[in-house]
Amino acid sequence: MPANPERVRFAPSPTGYLHIGGARTALFNWLWARQQKGTFILRIEDTDRERSTQESEQAILDGLRWLGLTWDEGPEVGGPHAPYFQMDRLATYEKHAAALIANGRAYRCDCSKELLDKLREEAAKQKHAFKYPGTCRDKNLPKGTPGAVVRFRMPDEGATTFRDLVKGEITTQHKELQDEVILRADGVPLYNFGAVVDDVEMQITLVARGDDHIVNTPRQILMYQALGYPIPTFAHLPMILGADKQRLSKRHGAVSVLQYRDDGYLPGALVNYLARLGWSHGDQEIFTLEELIEKFDWEHVGATAGVFNPEKLLWLNQQWIKKTPLPELAKHVAPLLAARGVQVDPERLARVLPPIVERAKTLVDMADQARTFFERGVRFDEAAAKKNLTPETRPLLVEARALVDRRIGEGAHALEQAFRDLAAQRGLGLGKVAQPVRVAVTGTTVSPPLFDTLVLLGRDEALARIDAAIVRTGG
């Protein structure tokens, strides 16, 4: 074990669900912590009181747990640096702000909103960026001054340089920075200060987050130095874009992590996809969680934005379905069947899944295809029925019924050969005979292999469904 094990954190705001970008940030932190035998901390930055909700907080916790990204310290787990909610840590921020004021690195400011708005308007008229002029720098306003915020005193000269594990060396001139507010009048910290204090208190060694935070990093480094604490290493992950190279949003198919669960994706598949969305290891595409922990490094995290591809994710999910042991798949599919009002017989489900696995792209596909084996009768897709169950197909259905009655006991292979012989006798392709029967017994044109399906249904149910379809043709 390293002498000073890595301590990393994921610090979401509970103002929305856990989305793809946040999940990838959490994953990279988690992989590094696991590989380095370190600690993965979950911290909730809930200072936006108007937009933070209990529902969002729970969705974040549930999303991380579903992905398998369990945390070592944080909500519902506890730890030596509790509490892990910023609104429960206000006294800590007050203490550190007081220390900065005492050593001249921060000061109280009572400039009114009206004054600041006026200064911004003047800056806009002169076509230059607004920068707080330091009006209250030397006023030495006492604690308790009505409406006073605390501002951090930025250096007037020089520059801050840091080496980012992903982006390389980044330098910011201090003249570009302003004395920013770090503590509101109500004692609630702003992002930069709250993050620094918490990272100090929680002994964070590496801060890995989205590259939209690069502008915050020099400000935070100056705060670490002013507080007299070591500066962590930084890694800024590039944005995830849609196919149109715009920032990822719902219109690109990016939804909450839990929506992917509900849509039938395996957690391992989504983790695999997120890992490859910005990190590479040769040409390998499919990784188990164990392989990701072993192989992950910062050297191969790309510095440019990744493009989210829903089709690639769907393909990867299909590969994961094929490689997942059947008993584990059954554990995922059974609740989906139960949600559809289907009583599941585990032994029957074990027999039903093998022919479904090969073609299924999602667990929802599997549940939709499996349900037909647990129900009496058929739910018809009307378009499929209208096309395939017609007076013209009725004679073929009648002959197919007789074949099923005679040959189903011989198994799927013999049944298929009998259908091929029938098609040849009629001068038809196999599909012309098989498709009406498929719709008759499954209600749709998309199903597990037909002859396996017939055998799994059994003679009585298969014949009853074909009989119902014959009636539907008008016979």
Side-chain angles (χ1 to χ4, degrees):
M1 184 177 289
N4 294 298
E6 291 276 25
R7 291 178 59 83
V8 300
R9 47 72 160 184
F10 176 54
S13 297
T15 55
Y17 298 138
L18 178 65
H19 294 287
I20 288 295
R24 187 189 64 172
T25 297
L27 173 62
F28 283 13
N29 277 286
W30 186 89
L31 290 173
W32 188 243
R34 293 293 172 261
Q35 184 191 104
Q36 298 295 308
K37 303 293 189 290
T39 303
F40 176 63
I41 299 162
L42 177 61
R43 184 173 76 223
I44 304 297
E45 298 190 340
D46 57 347
T47 55
D48 187 341
R49 286 176 287 182
E50 289 185 2
R51 296 171 59 223
S52 295
T53 67
Q54 182 69 36
E55 182 186 17
S56 294
E57 178 196 319
Q58 195 59 51
I60 291 168
L61 302 187
D62 292 345
L64 290 173
R65 284 203 175 104
W66 178 69
L67 290 171
L69 308 183
T70 53
W71 51 99
D72 306 304
E73 296 179 23
E76 299 181 359
V77 172
H81 303 285
Y84 293 92
F85 293 83
Q86 286 193 322
M87 288 305 294
D88 294 335
R89 300 173 59 80
L90 298 187
T92 301
Y93 310 124
E94 174 66 36
K95 179 184 73 174
H96 285 83
L100 289 175
I101 292 170
N103 67 19
R105 295 306 304 273
Y107 57 91
R108 294 185 182 88
C109 166
D110 64 353
C111 291
S112 67
K113 181 179 183 301
E114 291 74 21
L115 172 61
L116 295 174
D117 287 344
K118 184 179 178 182
L119 292 173
R120 286 191 183 91
E121 287 175 16
E122 290 174 0
K125 286 177 185 175
Q126 295 171 27
K127 297 186 177 178
H128 62 72
F130 169 73
K131 182 177 179 180
Y132 177 70
T135 307
C136 294
R137 265 190 172 190
D138 301 314
K139 285 186 177 179
N140 295 316
L141 295 174
K143 184 176 181 178
T145 299
V149 300
V150 178
R151 288 186 183 270
F152 184 77
R153 184 190 291 260
M154 292 291 178
D156 296 316
E157 299 175 345
T160 290
T161 298
F162 70 98
R163 177 163 290 282
D164 189 278
L165 293 181
V166 176
K167 303 286 186 176
E169 190 171 280
I170 298 173
T171 297
T172 301
Q173 300 297 322
H174 292 158
K175 64 184 179 182
E176 298 172 12
L177 308 177
Q178 67 169 329
D179 290 0
E180 64 180 63
V181 177
I182 59 174
L183 205 64
R184 296 192 183 99
D186 60 4
V188 176
L190 275 79
Y191 171 74
N192 281 330
F193 188 58
V196 166
V197 169
D198 288 344
D199 288 344
V200 163
E201 292 278 323
M202 296 176 189
Q203 300 171 359
I204 300 301
T205 58
L206 167 69
V207 174
R209 57 191 177 187
D211 63 5
D212 52 330
H213 285 294
I214 285 179
V215 295
N216 293 317
T217 304
R219 297 166 168 82
Q220 293 183 353
I221 288 173
L222 289 167
M223 291 178 195
Y224 280 107
Q225 292 171 336
L227 289 167
Y229 287 99
I231 300 164
T233 305
F234 289 92
H236 288 92
L237 312 177
M239 287 286 183
I240 301 174
L241 304 178
D244 57 2
K245 302 298 189 290
Q246 298 300 306
R247 185 167 182 166
L248 196 63
S249 67
K250 288 181 181 179
R251 74 176 185 276
H252 300 109
V255 292
S256 79
V257 163
L258 292 178
Q259 186 64 52
Y260 288 103
R261 177 197 65 186
D262 296 343
D263 288 346
Y265 287 80
L266 285 164
L270 187 55
V271 164
N272 189 163
Y273 182 75
L274 290 174
R276 288 287 290 110
L277 193 60
W279 171 82
S280 61
H281 185 80
D283 296 327
Q284 186 173 344
E285 289 283 354
I286 299 175
F287 295 83
T288 64
L289 203 54
E290 291 73 21
E291 286 177 310
L292 288 173
I293 291 170
E294 177 192 347
K295 300 177 188 299
F296 180 77
D297 61 358
W298 295 106
E299 183 181 347
H300 292 96
V301 173
T304 56
V307 176
F308 181 75
N309 184 338
E311 290 77 22
K312 179 70 175 290
L313 172 56
L314 192 60
W315 172 84
L316 198 57
N317 196 56
Q318 189 173 21
Q319 306 312 305
W320 267 78
I321 284 174
K322 289 178 182 177
K323 72 190 276 295
T324 299
L326 286 173
E328 188 176 335
L329 280 178
K331 289 179 184 175
H332 287 289
V333 173
L336 295 175
L337 285 168
R340 286 159 174 75
V342 176
Q343 281 194 322
V344 179
D345 171 9
E347 291 185 12
R348 186 166 182 76
L349 184 58
R351 295 196 303 274
V352 163
L353 288 183
I356 293 176
V357 164
E358 200 58 33
R359 299 183 188 183
K361 293 182 178 179
T362 70
L363 297 169
V364 168
D365 287 346
M366 296 183 73
D368 287 342
Q369 291 184 33
R371 74 182 297 174
T372 193
F373 297 102
F374 295 90
E375 297 177 325
R376 293 289 178 191
V378 173
R379 301 165 187 267
F380 285 106
D381 175 278
E382 288 302 322
K386 187 175 181 180
K387 181 178 179 181
N388 291 279
L389 305 181
T390 65
E392 291 73 28
T393 62
R394 182 176 180 275
L396 286 174
L397 284 169
V398 170
E399 290 191 78
R401 184 203 188 281
L403 272 185
V404 171
D405 192 18
R406 289 200 313 272
R407 306 292 297 273
I408 194 169
E410 299 172 38
H413 184 72
L415 203 54
E416 179 179 355
Q417 190 56 53
F419 268 68
R420 288 186 183 280
D421 293 343
L422 173 61
Q425 290 166 17
R426 296 290 175 267
L428 301 170
L430 177 61
K432 291 291 187 182
V433 178
Q435 197 71 327
V437 178
R438 185 189 307 278
V439 175
V441 297
T442 69
T444 178
T445 56
V446 180
S447 76
L450 174 60
F451 305 105
D452 290 317
T453 297
L454 288 164
V455 171
L456 282 166
L457 285 170
R459 176 184 276 104
D460 291 348
E461 181 65 18
L463 293 179
R465 293 185 182 193
I466 296 172
D467 285 342
I470 291 171
V471 170
R472 189 178 174 113
T473 65

